[in-house]
Structures are given as C-alpha cells and as structure tokens.
Amino acid sequence: MDKNTSSKQGFWSRRRILGVTAAGALVFFVVGIIFWGGFNTAMEATNSTEFCIGCHEMKNNVYEEYKPTIHYTNRTGVRAGCPDCHVPRPWVHKIIRKIKASRELFYWATGKIDTPEKFDEHRLGLAKSVWGAMKNTDSRECRNCHNFESMNPEFQKPRARKQHLNSFETGQTCIDCHKGIAHHDVRDQLNDEELEALEAPNPKFIKPIPKEYLEGLARAEAKEAAVVAKQKADTEAIVKRAVDAAKAEAKAEAESKEAAVSTNSPAQSSNINVDWNKAGTTDITVFYPGTASMEWVLGRKHGGKRAFTKGDRCVECHDKETAAIGDLIVSGESKKVEEPNLIPGKRGSIPVEINTTYDDENLYLRFSWTDGDHAPAPFVEGGKMDPENPMKLAFMLATDEVEYADRAGCWGTCHADADEMPFAPEDQVLKDSELAARLDLSSGVTKYLKESRSKIELKGRKGKALGGWDKLKAEGDITAAMAANQYMDLVRYKSGSDETEDGQILAERSMHGGQGAEVEASMKAGTWSVVIKRKLKSDKPGDVNIEPGKQYNFGFAIHDDFTGGRYHHVSLGYKLALDDAEAEINAVKQ
C-alpha cells in the first residue's frame, strides 16, 4: 500500500475542533438537538395552565378564584392563563423562575397549602412574593399583553386616565394599583408602611408620554366637554320652563287679584330678589353614596386612599363619574360600597344647577333640579321614610382648619357608626352610655367631626367597630376646636314644613339657629328651585364668615322623594368663593 495513501484520513475520522472528529461532532449535534427538543418540550409541558392546576392545591384554590375574573372570560375571548402572568417569556428569566418554582414542590409534598384554610393562612406571604417580583420588573408579565403606549384614553374612565398619566410621569407600575384582579385581594392586610413601600413610584420606570396617548386624551376631554355642554343646555331649558311657568302663575294671580274685590290684605312678595343673570353658574351632579363613610374613604377598599391622604381632592378623580358611581351603588352591583337596603327604581344621581351671587351683606344661592319619579322604599311602611317632607336640602361650609374638608367637603362629617350606618351602636348601648349626658343620642349617633374625637377606628381589626362616636374629647378640647374654626357650618331646609334650620357640626349635629338663613322653595313644571339668602358675616358661634380673596370648602345634599337619614344624594367637596374664577362655585357680585 502506498505510504502517502495509507496516511490520509477520511473526512469523518479527521480530528477538527478540540480534537473531536467530524463524526463525533455530528453525534454531539444530533444528541444536542434531541436533548434540546426534549428539554424544550418538557419546559413547555410545564408551562401551561393545565400543568399548573394538576394538583388540587392549585385547582381547588386559586384556579377557582381566577375563573370568574375577566382574565378567564371576557368579551374579546382572549384568556390569560397561569404562565402568562407568572412565568417570564425571556428564556433566562424563565429558567430562573422555573428553578424558584421548585419550592412549590415542597409545599405540595408537605401539604402546606393543600386546603383552602391552609392556603389562606399563607396567602399574604405568597401574594407579597408575587407583588414584589412584579414591582421589581415593572410589571413585565402584565406588559406582555398591556402597555401604556397602546392605551386609548377615550375608552378609560377619568380617574383611570389620570392615574395612567401619573404612571408615565412618576414611574408607577401596573401592580401598584391592580392587585387582586385574578385572585382574592389581601392588600388590606398590609400595614401602612408595607403598602407605602410597595406602591411607591420608581423613577426608573418613568416613560415619555406617547403622542398618540396625548391625542387620545384630548379627544376624550373634548367628548366629555360636549356631554357637559349638552347637559348644561338641557338643565337651563328645564330651569327656563320652570321660571316661565312661575311668571305665568304670578301674572295670573295678579290679574285675579285685580279682578277680585279689593281687600286690605297686603300682597306677598319675595325677600330674595336678585338679578340671577349676573350670578355665577355651576353644574354639579349629586349621587347616591350608599354606606360609604369617611372611614371608607380612608380605608383599604378605597383605591384612592393613598392619593387622598397625600392631598388629592375627590373631585380630581371622580367629578366626571359621579352619575356612574351612583348608578352602580343603587343597583347593588358595587363591589366596593355595599348597600344592604336597595330601593328599586331609585335614581343614582341628580344633575343640579347652582347659581351664586352676592351683595354687600348677603350670599345668595339658587339650586335647581328636576323632580324624579317616586320609588317606594320597601323597608318602610307606605314607602316614604319622611312622608311630611317631599324634599330636604342642606349645605355645609368649612375653612381649611377642618381636616379633610379641603378634599372631601362635607364627607368628613359622615361616619360608619352614625345612625343607620353599618356600625351604628344598638339603642340600648346609647341609652346606657355616659355620653348620653353630653350628646343628643335620642335619634342615634348624628354627624360629627374627627376633631371632636380622641380616636377614629379605620381598620376594624379584631372585630372593632369603625368610627369613634364613643371617643368624645373633653369639653375644654371641643371648646378650643370651636374657637379654632374646626367645625362645619350647616344650613338645612325642609319643604314640607317650610322650615329652615341653621347650626353646625363638631361633636354632633347641633341645629341652634345660627344667623338665620332665609329660604324660598318651589316646585314648578317638574323642577325644584331652592333659593337661599345667607349673611356673609355673623357673630354667632358655628357660622363661617365669607370674605373676598378666600376660598371655602362646600358640599351639599338633597333628600328627594320623601327620603330620610343616609338615603340622600350628596356632592363631592367643592370650593366656593366671591368673584374668584378659580373656584368651582364662583359667586359674582350684583
């Protein structure tokens, strides 16, 4: 055999990289493909909802919670399964998540969470782990399907638009607000420090606001402005019909008097004659609040609690959606504010036009709204809670010395333990209370301010009742609070008796007469008109003096359709001022 020929090696046996022959490399390549294919197949097999609910710990607990949510069934038919939310898509992060998930095998083997009771025992810890992971990754798994850049503000509620805009600017991420959307929410079990840390903005997540988002925001605001303009025009038309009807009636009465035999009885005239064409006009929609109280506003069920405590006003998020909120509560469909005593047919909101003007001595307010159909209350004999009064109207004024009045208006007076509210004390408890000598408890607990209490229970842990009716401060402290303007001035009108009450709220609702506001009310052509004349300045305790250059916190409520107690329609908190275009309720001088 030729020496040169015998020394030549074939292609497959020739050693190449790292001393491996071509044949060996091919074998490794084929084995690698088979291994990778098997590994990837196994990986994907464990990356499905079916695998996740293969054990009853998951199937009987979190899976059952997930099925009623929008992530399981929705109008588009797009379902987000377990891996979509809990397993990263990038390969490296996916492998890390799979390794960490091996802990769950330990839970399964030891039966640590194999019953609903055991699962609930560990639920908060498990949730905190998931929340923390999502927070650290800027809600990466949420953004597999959702992202801020693709959002269309035209299809979002006003408060959602505001919060998403805030997310761009401050670095908020999805999980900061959207906890408990697929499983039972345990956010309320976090203490304030944990919640503050978990939901704090992260400057690393700040994003530029896309042009498309700003354009959509402008379109949404234009649509809402058009709706408001139409509502205003409709309200003005209703008010005009009522005014025309009143003028026609007055003219007919005058002509009748002229035709009748003359008497010595003087003709009655109005004491509240102003030129309403010079008045400022504001349209405010009052809504049905159900059992929502100040404790609810400051509690864990209120997603805006954190923003509220930092100074955001209620109107900033809710002014344009009060009608929707009211409709949700009267229907019984609200998941946040429960209404145990539903009234079928009760309207959820009432659009009200407020005209405001003043002269050198008095403030004048005119409230106008359309009367509604009668909706009998099924829990009251005869269906009328207050059969003597078809309508009652009340408004409150306060300075910023009252905590929360600058944000919530008169809501600070409404507490969860007031009469007919969820934590109202039993009658016998009130009769036996030592406070019966200091408070009028004959009709239950009335409205009060936190400035008069040593403590207000907000969390209700260990079965504690919310509120603080029985934590009344010493008389000297309450006297000092009055001197520091820590009260709400209150004027209330009852249509049945044509009675006007004036007073204030601090330790309780005290209707003592005050400066004596004048009220003229009528119902013409299906429209109520309530005109109030109130002095700008008073030396009576409990009265708020109104001066130019200052803004005052304002809220009002309407009891329509013979209702009483908490079954009224209420406003959010607004600002009232004299000749101040920055105030929502701007009284223009005559």
Side-chain angles (χ1 to χ4, degrees), residues 230-240 283 351-353 368:
K230 184 179 184 306
Q231 291 176 341
K232 181 177 177 62
D234 292 344
T235 303
E236 289 177 346
I238 292 171
V239 172
K240 185 178 184 302
D283 294 309
V352 181
E353 180 183 280
S368 305

Side-chain angles (χ1 to χ4, degrees), residues 60-100:
N60 296 343
N61 292 315
V62 289
Y63 182 65
E64 290 301 317
E65 300 166 6
Y66 150 73
K67 284 168 65 177
T69 70
I70 197 170
H71 282 94
Y72 183 84
T73 304
N74 52 68
R75 66 184 183 276
T76 63
V78 178
R79 178 173 296 171
C82 305
D84 294 315
C85 296
H86 295 288
V87 181
R89 290 182 180 177
W91 190 84
V92 173
H93 298 293
K94 181 187 293 187
I95 294 298
I96 294 173
R97 177 68 185 97
K98 291 293 183 180
I99 294 172
K100 290 182 177 179

Side-chain angles (χ1 to χ4, degrees), residues 67-357:
K67 284 168 65 177
T69 70
I70 197 170
H71 282 94
Y72 183 84
T73 304
N74 52 68
R75 66 184 183 276
T76 63
V78 178
R79 178 173 296 171
C82 305
D84 294 315
C85 296
H86 295 288
V87 181
R89 290 182 180 177
W91 190 84
V92 173
H93 298 293
K94 181 187 293 187
I95 294 298
I96 294 173
R97 177 68 185 97
K98 291 293 183 180
I99 294 172
K100 290 182 177 179
S102 61
R103 291 179 304 175
E104 295 163 15
L105 295 176
F106 173 77
Y107 295 156
W108 170 78
T110 59
K112 187 175 181 179
I113 54 174
D114 60 350
T115 67
E117 292 75 19
K118 290 181 181 179
F119 193 93
D120 282 339
E121 183 181 345
H122 298 282
R123 183 185 291 274
L124 180 59
L126 296 170
K128 286 167 67 175
S129 177
V130 174
W131 294 339
M134 288 187 169
K135 178 75 172 183
N136 291 335
T137 62
D138 191 13
S139 305
R140 177 181 54 211
E141 278 62 66
C142 298
R143 291 184 290 105
N144 287 337
C145 297
H146 313 276
N147 65 75
F148 292 138
E149 290 77 8
S150 298
M151 289 180 179
N152 188 342
E154 293 179 85
F155 300 105
Q156 294 177 346
K157 293 181 178 179
R159 56 179 156 167
R161 294 201 304 264
K162 175 181 171 60
Q163 189 55 52
H164 289 142
L165 194 61
N166 181 65
S167 298
F168 282 116
E169 298 171 339
T170 65
Q172 296 274 188
T173 189
C174 310
I175 198 61
D176 291 347
C177 299
H178 297 285
K179 299 178 183 69
I181 56 175
H183 307 296
H184 292 335
D185 189 11
V186 287
R187 177 182 179 274
D188 60 348
Q189 296 182 26
L190 294 169
N191 60 46
D192 290 341
E193 292 74 19
E194 289 176 312
L195 197 62
E196 184 76 17
L198 187 60
E199 298 184 353
N202 187 338
K204 293 192 301 184
F205 300 155
I206 293 176
K207 306 171 181 66
I209 305 173
K211 178 182 177 182
E212 293 80 2
Y213 191 92
L214 293 175
E215 290 174 347
L217 192 62
R219 290 193 298 270
E221 291 175 347
K223 287 180 181 178
E224 288 173 349
V227 171
V228 170
K230 184 179 184 306
Q231 291 176 341
K232 181 177 177 62
D234 292 344
T235 303
E236 289 177 346
I238 292 171
V239 172
K240 185 178 184 302
R241 286 200 297 270
V243 171
D244 290 345
K247 288 180 178 179
E249 183 177 327
K251 182 179 179 181
E253 289 178 359
E255 291 174 349
S256 176
K257 287 180 180 180
E258 289 177 2
V261 177
S262 176
T263 67
N264 293 324
S265 300
Q268 290 200 346
S269 61
S270 171
N271 292 320
I272 311 178
N273 291 314
V274 296
D275 184 355
W276 292 109
N277 291 319
K278 295 180 179 179
T281 301
T282 307
D283 294 309
I284 292 176
T285 296
V286 291
F287 65 100
Y288 184 67
T291 59
S293 63
M294 200 59 195
E295 287 74 23
W296 181 89
V297 172
L298 292 167
R300 299 302 182 84
K301 286 188 176 181
H302 178 210
K305 178 240 181 182
R306 180 174 174 272
F308 179 84
T309 56
K310 288 185 175 297
D312 282 9
R313 299 172 62 204
C314 300
V315 296
E316 293 177 357
C317 285
H318 301 299
D319 186 45
K320 296 178 181 177
E321 57 182 23
T322 48
I325 294 173
D327 290 342
L328 198 62
I329 296 175
V330 295
S331 69
E333 296 177 0
S334 173
K335 296 180 181 179
K336 293 184 177 181
V337 182
E338 296 182 1
E339 174 48 79
N341 299 324
L342 295 176
I343 303 175
K346 184 175 182 66
R347 54 179 171 173
S349 61
I350 305 174
V352 181
E353 180 183 280
I354 304 177
N355 308 113
T356 46
T357 185

Side-chain angles (χ1 to χ4, degrees), residues 351-470:
V352 181
E353 180 183 280
I354 304 177
N355 308 113
T356 46
T357 185
Y358 74 102
D359 54 28
D360 292 335
E361 295 184 0
N362 299 298
L363 172 71
Y364 304 90
L365 302 100
R366 182 172 70 178
F367 300 82
S368 305
W369 71 93
T370 304
D371 194 31
D373 296 330
H374 178 48
F379 46 86
V380 176
E381 184 177 356
K384 297 178 179 179
M385 299 178 218
D386 186 0
E388 301 300 320
N389 292 293
M391 178 275 296
K392 298 187 289 288
L393 181 142
F395 76 87
M396 296 188 208
L397 288 170
T399 64
D400 287 349
E401 278 75 19
V402 177
E403 189 174 7
Y404 303 136
D406 61 330
R407 282 155 273 178
C410 59
W411 279 69
T413 67
C414 179
H415 293 275
D417 54 2
D419 188 44
E420 298 184 87
M421 291 291 277
F423 294 91
E426 299 290 337
D427 290 343
Q428 193 59 48
V429 173
L430 297 177
K431 290 178 181 179
D432 296 341
S433 173
E434 296 179 356
L435 296 178
R438 296 180 58 194
L439 298 174
D440 181 4
L441 301 174
S442 58
S443 299
V445 177
T446 67
K447 295 179 180 295
Y448 61 87
L449 288 176
K450 71 180 293 291
E451 281 80 359
S452 67
R453 264 56 179 184
S454 58
K455 181 182 179 181
I456 301 291
E457 177 62 39
L458 297 176
K459 298 180 180 178
R461 291 181 177 173
K462 297 182 179 180
K464 292 182 180 179
L466 299 182
W469 77 271
D470 57 344

